[in-house]
Amino acid sequence: MVVKSGEHGDDREGTLLVRLSDRLHGSRMNREDELELRTRLARMRQQHHDLDCAIHALETRNADQLQLTRLKKQKLRLKDEIKVIENRLFPDIIA
């Protein structure tokens, strides 16, 4: 699965994910690529947490359901992107 950045990042981050996914079955990633992925992962986890807090705050105020639904979908998309990066950084190696 290849995730290209859209509303969650810039083109450089999307290019990084594409480049890394191309090497998924190849050699190990270099340190620069790993550092970039770890940085992006930390930023995405923070965004996920921020969305969670915003959703919770809106739910307690009986806010617009359409807005809540959009935020929840955005949070789920972000979670999927986080999983892709985590799987790349921490692959399950079955020996």
Side-chain angles (χ1 to χ4, degrees):
M1 176 180 186
V2 176
V3 175
K4 292 185 179 179
S5 63
E7 57 192 273
H8 301 299
D10 61 20
D11 289 339
R12 186 173 152 233
E13 291 171 339
T15 302
L16 172 66
L17 287 177
V18 170
R19 188 173 73 226
L20 291 175
S21 68
D22 289 344
R23 291 192 285 154
L24 192 57
H25 298 290
S27 62
R28 290 185 52 202
M29 71 177 93
N30 65 41
R31 287 181 185 241
E32 181 181 316
D33 289 342
E34 183 177 347
L35 181 60
E36 286 184 53
L37 272 183
R38 287 181 183 274
T39 301
R40 176 166 175 162
L41 182 60
R43 189 170 45 248
M44 291 171 74
R45 284 179 174 160
Q46 182 61 50
Q47 289 173 343
H48 188 270
H49 175 74
D50 293 345
L51 280 170
D52 193 44
C53 292
I55 290 167
H56 180 69
L58 290 173
E59 286 175 335
T60 59
R61 293 187 298 170
N62 295 325
D64 178 31
Q65 290 302 308
L66 182 59
Q67 183 181 11
L68 271 172
T69 301
R70 287 178 179 159
L71 288 176
K72 287 179 180 182
K73 285 182 180 182
Q74 183 180 354
K75 183 179 165 192
L76 286 173
R77 279 191 303 270
L78 195 55
K79 183 178 179 181
D80 289 342
E81 290 180 30
I82 289 170
K83 268 296 178 209
V84 169
I85 293 175
E86 287 176 339
N87 289 338
R88 180 62 186 136
L89 287 171
F90 316 110
D92 289 335
I93 300 174
I94 301 172

